[in-house]
Amino acid sequence: MNRLFRYFYISDLIAIVGASISYIAIYWTCAQLLSPAAVSLVIGAVFVIRFISSSLVGPWIDRIEPVRLLKATVLIRFFLLIAVWFILTQTDALACAVILSARLPDVTASHRRQYGV
């Protein structure tokens, strides 16, 4: 087996494993946040969107150079995962900020009573 093909095969295997783990993490998060019916709707919607997009975009993609297409899809996948991570972490940070800001008046009021400020 050619050395370059081996590197390509290993990198593609790592990318597929990473994508699979990200799908599992996204569905797991949905399962924790949503009802079972909503999770099944999300999974069905993802399947329908992927099926329709692959049917419509497939002939157009066949015209693009394979190496260029691989680079573009890896970059798009990377930026989408970063965006999902950013949204999830900012949502947690925002929720923590709301909880802390709701508790701040109690803390400052007790501080004023205790120290006579």
Side-chain angles (χ1 to χ4, degrees):
M1 186 171 5
N2 190 356
R3 182 174 56 111
L4 292 176
F5 181 75
R6 195 175 322 133
Y7 287 148
F8 172 74
Y9 186 74
I10 290 171
S11 66
D12 194 41
L13 180 68
I14 291 170
I16 289 172
V17 169
S20 300
I21 289 172
S22 66
Y23 275 120
I24 291 170
I26 290 170
Y27 289 141
W28 194 333
T29 304
C30 288
Q32 290 178 344
L33 298 175
L34 303 173
S35 67
V39 172
S40 58
L41 285 175
V42 167
I43 293 172
V46 168
F47 173 75
V48 168
I49 289 170
R50 289 180 77 185
F51 179 74
I52 291 173
S53 64
S54 65
S55 298
L56 296 176
V57 179
W60 177 72
I61 286 180
D62 288 340
R63 299 180 200 155
I64 299 175
E65 182 183 345
V67 174
R68 189 182 218 180
L69 181 65
L70 179 66
K71 289 178 183 178
T73 55
V74 168
L75 280 174
I76 290 169
R77 194 180 319 169
F78 171 74
F79 286 122
L80 285 175
L81 288 175
I82 292 295
V84 168
W85 173 81
F86 182 76
I87 289 169
L88 290 177
T89 57
Q90 293 305 314
T91 304
D92 290 342
L94 181 63
C96 290
V98 168
I99 291 170
L100 288 177
S101 67
R103 293 181 182 214
L104 282 179
D106 297 333
V107 172
T108 55
S110 65
H111 183 269
R112 287 181 186 156
R113 280 193 303 269
Q114 184 178 2
Y115 294 105
V117 177

